[in-house]
Amino acid sequence: MSNDPVLTVSGLGKVFRRYRRELHRVLNWFSFHIPAMEERWVLRDISFEVSAGQALGIVGRNGAGKSTLLKMITGTTRASEGGVHIRGRIAAILELGMGFNYDYTGRQNVYHASGLMGFQRSEIDAILPELEAFAELGAYFDQPIRVYSSGMQVRLAFAVATAFRPDILIIDEALAVGDTYFQHKSFEKIRQFREQGTTLILVSHDRLALLSLCDRAILLDSGHLALDGDPESVLDYYNALLGRKEGETIETRMQENGRIQTISGSREATIESAVLLNAKGEPIDTIEVGTETQIVVKAKTHAPIPRLVLGYAIKDRLGQTMYGTNTHYSAQALDGLAVGETVEYRIRFPVALGPGTYSVALALSGAENHLGQNYEWRDLAIIFSVVNLHEQVFDGTIFMPAVIDVERSSAAQPPERV
């Protein structure tokens, strides 16, 4: 992977202005400087670089400016300030059906869209059979786009955008409306492109897609760049933003290993300590596959708590949840806690995980999730490693030993000679 940026965004901003008359807007194009009645900045002072071969995820709440940013990068929307420098060819899947003529057939749209991207008819002819096979539209490939479902439009749009490997591939939520089979197929092609050096920019609310495909993420909040870092840290912070209520705080801490820990909540109840213990009750940070362990969490109240729920999630090194639950689901929520009460939770389980590094996220809330009442959410509360010293060698992140029965038939008899 080259460190040279293929995309540089510098001080980018977009403002929408409302004038008393449309004539005033036109006069401003000719430098008459007539003040607007109203200004609304959708994005302001956005700056970042993306290196060749890097995969960047962009996250943020609806209205944060994600789609506007992509439109300015691709040139379909003009920036109000700042600039974008691109090195290489961009292929983008933005709004569903964007660039298609709904009266054309799928086949005709392939020629139309690919032609607009600068490809010759002979080049399109050469890749058409492969493109048609990848889209898997069957007889609909020669039907007008207007009769396509949204999923079929996604199939065609993705097939067109990736028919020729681009230097930069931009996808804005489009794959979310596709079926699961095609999503897996598309993600596999994206991974192949990345191995060949394509830069990926992905806007999605799908945590698993962002964690598995991206090696970096940025968070947009109220039109500003709030955080730039590894996907897990950015998504943890985004999760805290989604659940934040008035009076709640969000704190980030840089850990020794370089990972960013996010702690959020009202602090009416807090996690005083959290530790992983072995079967002897000794604190550990490394444990063997298949052995028993327990997480011990001590919590304290700092205000009257009507209802207290402890939740936990065990995550792999990418931040994907391996397993999680809480005391609401186990019917062990506590009611009517007074100020200054302490509670100790002991969570016992066998380590049914493959070798690797894992983390534990903890949450104290008033309901089954932190979106209702978040007292404290703490990511990376515990970090531990799993090693395999005694079990049969296996692949994967789940330890699921099986009994394999093998039955071999008797040896075949040689054919009789005639």
Side-chain angles (χ1 to χ4, degrees):
M1 183 188 300
S2 169
N3 291 324
D4 297 331
V6 294
L7 171 64
T8 302
V9 175
S10 306
L12 204 63
K14 180 64 178 177
V15 63
F16 291 101
R17 296 184 173 95
R18 188 164 66 90
Y19 294 90
R20 291 184 183 277
R21 299 176 182 175
E22 192 61 27
L23 176 62
H24 293 172
R25 183 188 305 277
V26 176
L27 290 173
N28 270 281
W29 296 346
F30 298 97
S31 303
F32 279 87
H33 303 297
I34 299 175
M37 285 179 57
E38 179 185 346
E39 279 192 348
R40 184 173 64 88
W41 285 90
V42 179
L43 289 172
R44 198 79 190 263
D45 194 27
I46 305 295
S47 298
F48 61 89
E49 292 184 346
V50 185
S51 300
Q54 195 172 51
L56 175 71
I58 301 178
V59 297
R61 287 178 279 201
N62 292 335
K66 305 184 298 296
S67 295
T68 302
L69 173 60
L70 295 191
K71 288 177 181 178
M72 287 191 290
I73 290 174
T74 56
T76 58
T77 294
R78 184 179 178 183
S80 302
E81 63 181 16
V84 176
H85 178 71
I86 297 167
R87 183 166 58 86
R89 187 180 70 83
I90 283 185
I93 308 174
L94 302 180
E95 296 174 4
L96 193 59
M98 187 175 181
F100 285 156
N101 185 319
Y102 278 70
D103 291 324
Y104 288 180
T105 66
R107 188 182 304 275
Q108 290 170 329
N109 268 291
V110 169
Y111 282 100
H112 176 69
S114 300
L116 291 176
M117 290 190 287
F119 295 103
Q120 301 297 317
R121 187 175 182 90
S122 58
E123 295 176 293
I124 303 169
D125 287 339
I127 58 90
L128 190 61
E130 183 180 344
L131 186 154
E132 183 177 358
F134 185 88
E136 295 187 40
L137 294 172
Y140 280 97
F141 193 58
D142 290 302
Q143 295 294 319
I145 293 287
R146 63 174 179 270
V147 304
Y148 283 23
S149 66
S150 58
M152 293 167 69
Q153 289 182 43
V154 166
R155 286 172 176 255
L156 184 62
F158 187 87
V160 171
T162 59
F164 303 91
R165 186 180 72 81
D167 297 295
I168 303 173
L169 176 62
I170 298 178
I171 302 175
D172 182 10
E173 293 287 5
L175 293 179
V177 301
D179 59 81
T180 302
Y181 162 74
F182 193 74
Q183 287 178 14
H184 282 278
K185 188 176 179 179
S186 301
F187 288 153
E188 183 57 35
K189 190 159 190 177
I190 291 170
R191 291 188 183 95
Q192 291 173 4
F193 277 178
R194 286 208 61 206
E195 292 173 358
Q196 297 167 10
T198 292
T199 296
L200 172 67
I201 299 177
L202 175 66
V203 171
S204 178
H205 287 97
D206 186 337
R207 181 183 177 94
L208 293 182
L210 290 162
L211 289 171
S212 61
L213 290 174
C214 300
D215 43 44
R216 178 183 162 208
I218 61 174
L219 169 64
L220 296 181
D221 185 41
S222 301
H224 296 276
L225 203 162
L227 192 62
D228 184 341
D230 67 273
E232 183 182 6
S233 298
V234 171
L235 288 167
D236 287 345
Y237 191 86
Y238 177 49
N239 181 63
L241 278 180
L242 291 176
R244 182 168 62 177
K245 304 289 188 301
E246 186 176 352
E248 296 183 357
T249 61
I250 301 177
E251 176 187 356
T252 57
R253 299 175 182 175
M254 179 66 74
Q255 297 192 319
E256 293 181 359
N257 58 9
R259 300 172 78 177
I260 299 174
Q261 181 187 45
T262 300
I263 303 172
S264 65
S266 66
R267 306 300 202 275
E268 293 169 282
T270 57
I271 296 165
E272 299 295 288
S273 65
V275 64
L276 186 72
L277 304 178
N278 62 16
K280 298 178 182 179
E282 302 166 331
I284 53 171
D285 58 16
T286 302
I287 192 164
E288 291 186 40
V289 170
T291 57
E292 293 287 329
T293 189
Q294 61 178 317
I295 298 170
V296 179
V297 180
K298 293 183 180 178
K300 186 174 182 178
T301 63
H302 305 283
I305 302 295
R307 191 166 189 265
L308 185 64
V309 172
L310 172 78
Y312 73 97
I314 299 173
K315 302 180 180 182
D316 67 8
R317 63 180 181 84
L318 296 176
Q320 300 182 82
T321 299
M322 298 290 97
Y323 180 82
T325 189
N326 61 43
T327 56
H328 169 84
Y329 295 125
S330 65
Q332 293 173 294
L334 301 176
D335 296 323
L337 282 76
V339 178
E341 283 199 55
T342 59
V343 182
E344 182 177 278
Y345 298 92
R346 290 182 175 269
I347 305 163
R348 300 179 180 86
F349 58 94
V351 181
L353 299 169
T357 302
Y358 299 87
S359 68
V360 180
L362 297 171
L364 295 173
S365 63
E368 61 182 300
N369 60 54
H370 73 297
L371 299 179
Q373 178 59 62
N374 177 27
Y375 299 126
E376 180 172 318
W377 180 291
R378 183 181 294 253
D379 288 297
L380 304 178
I382 300 172
I383 297 176
F384 65 98
S385 297
V386 176
V387 295
N388 186 8
L389 301 179
H390 300 101
E391 299 295 339
Q392 175 184 301
V393 175
F394 65 95
D395 290 329
T397 54
I398 299 298
F399 176 54
M400 195 166 58
V403 175
I404 303 174
D405 294 322
V406 179
E407 183 177 346
R408 184 174 180 176
S409 62
S410 57
Q413 297 295 321
E416 294 183 7
R417 294 185 178 180
V418 178

